[in-house]
């Protein structure tokens, strides 16, 4: 491991000052991704600024939304009463990720900033445009079972690994940033970038930007939400496909819906096409399937992962069916409680 300087920040201004103009500085949350990458020699920060002493509060705002401090651990967020009651999709997504030990360490800010990666990213004998821009991508013709079917490019087909971020994308979460250029907010769906020709650039974050909080707007039907993760083993595995959904039903019709996908792209994928198709339509498995197929119209499978397209369609239908009681094509779902 490359030698580095460690400093602990006790405030946001202190963290920004400690990072200074050092291009090699990195912020440290729980360290579950950064320290791993440092061990592998992928990240070589000259300065590590520990920001775990910053806000870890979860505050209910006057409008009913939540503001979540970036230093909040995944475990604390999943256990929070307001999250479990008003945004159960978020609690379920977090509990689907990693292991209990990692969730106890991992922070909200760090989870959002974890690298989009695959096994070739860690293998210094493999070509990887994320690790060495311009080197090529061995995953394209290699073992690509877990790789992207949406938004990929010839430069990279890795998928974003976060479960939490998929739920946050569905819930219209907003990321709060502070940095040398001042404070700003960015919708989470816009925070991560698709690979294009520069897969090493994964977020819109500017040098030394610090995530300070995440806010969730109020969602009247947020309690009717769920998360489902399909993976190769029961725990400690990235998603092949995951679906986060919340739905509002009135008189058997979809009044509103939120839908996001994980395991299919380099960022949490907001299924906006499917959402538009579902609003104002009968809440039936037939309509769920039609909306899912429209969302996946541009999906492209690789040699080992073409099955993901059908798996994603089936998972969308299953999750929406779970939320509405619509299991038989053509039959309307139950009413909102």
């Amino acid at each position: 491991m490359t030698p580095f300087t460690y400093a602990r920040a006790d405030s946001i201004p202190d963290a920004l000052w400690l990072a200074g103009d050092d291009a090699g500085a990195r912020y440290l949350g729980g360290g579950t991704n950064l320290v791993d990458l440092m061990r592998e020699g992928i990240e070589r920060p000259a300065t590590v600024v520990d920001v775990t002493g910053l806000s870890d509060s979860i505050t209910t705002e006057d409008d009913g939304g939540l503001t979540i401090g970036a230093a909040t651990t995944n475990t604390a967020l999943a256990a929070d009463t307001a999250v479990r009651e008003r945004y159960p999709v978020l609690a379920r997504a977090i509990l689907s990720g990693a292991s209990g030990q990692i969730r106890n360490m991992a922070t909200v800010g760090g989870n959002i900033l974890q690298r989009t990666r695959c096994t070739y990213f860690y293998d210094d004998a493999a070509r990887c445009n994320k690790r060495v821009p311009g080197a090529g991508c061995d995953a394209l013709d290699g073992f690509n079972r877990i790789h992207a079917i949406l938004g990929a490019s010839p430069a990279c087909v890795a998928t974003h690994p976060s479960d939490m971020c998929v739920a946050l994308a569905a819930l219209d979460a907003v990321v709060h940033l502070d940095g040398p250029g001042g404070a700003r907010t960015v919708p989470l769906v816009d925070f991560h970038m698709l690979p294009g020709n520069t897969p090493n650039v994964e977020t819109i974050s500017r040098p030394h930007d610090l995530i300070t909080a995440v806010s969730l707007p109020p969602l009247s039907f947020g309690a009717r939400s769920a998360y489902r993760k399909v993976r190769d083993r029961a725990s400690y595995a990235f998603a092949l496909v995951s679906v986060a959904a919340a739905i509002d039903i009135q008189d058997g019709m979809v009044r509103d819906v939120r839908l996001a996908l994980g395991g299919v792209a380099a960022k949490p994928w907001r299924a906006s096409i499917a959402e538009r198709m579902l609003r104002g339509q009968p809440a039936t498995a037939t309509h769920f399937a039609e909306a899912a197929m429209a969302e996946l119209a541009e999906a492209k499978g690789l040699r080992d992962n073409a099955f993901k397209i059908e798996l994603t369609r089936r998972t969308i239908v299953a999750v929406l069916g779970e939320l509405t009681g619509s299991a038989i094509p053509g039959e309307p779902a139950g009413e909102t409680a």
Side-chain angles (χ1 to χ4, degrees):
M1 184 180 290
T2 304
F4 61 90
T5 299
Y6 169 88
R8 182 175 172 85
D10 56 15
S11 68
I12 293 171
D14 188 37
L16 300 180
W17 180 81
L18 288 168
D21 58 1
D22 180 357
R26 295 290 185 271
Y27 296 119
L28 175 71
T32 57
N33 186 221
L34 177 61
V35 173
D36 188 31
L37 296 177
M38 290 170 67
R39 289 195 190 104
E40 297 293 332
I42 297 170
E43 289 279 1
R44 297 180 176 90
T47 302
V48 171
V49 179
D50 187 335
V51 293
T52 54
L54 305 187
S55 174
D56 61 357
S57 64
I58 302 173
T59 306
T60 298
E61 303 298 338
D62 292 342
D63 64 0
L66 292 182
T67 298
I68 304 157
T72 304
T73 66
N74 286 191
T75 295
L77 184 58
D80 185 79
T81 300
V83 172
R84 294 172 70 88
E85 292 179 352
R86 286 149 47 194
Y87 307 95
V89 62
L90 179 55
R92 287 177 61 169
I94 292 170
L95 293 174
S96 294
S99 65
Q101 295 93 330
I102 289 178
R103 293 194 297 268
N104 288 342
M105 291 294 295
T107 63
V108 169
N111 189 302
I112 294 171
L113 284 171
Q114 66 179 298
R115 297 293 304 271
T116 299
R117 57 201 188 273
C118 74
T119 53
Y120 294 99
F121 174 70
Y122 285 107
D123 183 358
D124 60 8
R127 296 180 304 151
C128 175
N129 288 315
K130 281 185 176 295
R131 195 177 63 251
V132 182
C137 175
D138 277 347
L140 287 170
D141 297 315
F143 183 66
N144 43 44
R145 175 178 171 79
I146 68 168
H147 290 72
I149 57 173
L150 290 167
S153 78
C156 184
V157 289
T159 56
H160 194 271
S162 175
D163 294 287
M164 182 192 78
C165 286
V166 181
L168 291 178
L171 294 171
D172 294 318
V174 174
V175 179
H176 297 255
L177 298 157
D178 207 342
R184 61 194 174 111
T185 59
V186 179
L188 183 119
V189 293
D190 297 327
F191 185 77
H192 299 96
M193 299 177 67
L194 293 176
N197 294 320
T198 55
N200 55 304
V201 181
E202 297 176 6
T203 74
I204 55 84
S205 182
R206 300 165 184 163
H208 299 327
D209 268 355
L210 173 67
I211 295 179
T212 59
V214 175
S215 58
L216 297 178
L219 186 63
S220 61
F221 56 96
R224 193 173 203 165
S225 63
Y227 183 78
R228 183 173 297 192
K229 180 178 183 178
V230 183
R231 47 191 163 179
D232 280 329
R233 57 180 184 265
S235 66
Y236 205 61
F238 292 158
L240 290 170
V241 170
S242 65
V243 174
I247 194 165
D248 184 16
I249 306 296
Q250 185 175 45
D251 299 327
M253 305 292 286
V254 178
R255 186 160 57 178
D256 205 353
V257 64
R258 302 287 188 275
L259 191 64
L261 310 176
V264 297
K267 60 184 289 182
W269 188 271
R270 183 67 180 263
S272 55
I273 296 173
E275 289 179 352
R276 288 195 297 269
M277 286 193 64
L278 286 168
R279 292 186 182 107
Q281 297 299 312
T284 66
T286 297
H287 285 93
F288 298 159
E290 290 173 352
M293 287 188 288
E295 186 66 46
L296 295 166
E298 300 298 319
K300 296 179 181 179
L302 300 168
R303 183 194 64 205
D304 301 321
N305 75 348
F307 71 93
K308 276 193 176 190
I309 299 173
E310 176 63 10
L311 179 62
T312 303
R313 184 194 71 80
R314 288 173 178 263
T315 307
I316 291 171
V317 174
V319 172
L320 294 175
E322 172 191 338
L323 291 172
T324 62
S326 179
I328 303 173
E331 291 195 1
E335 306 300 318
T336 302

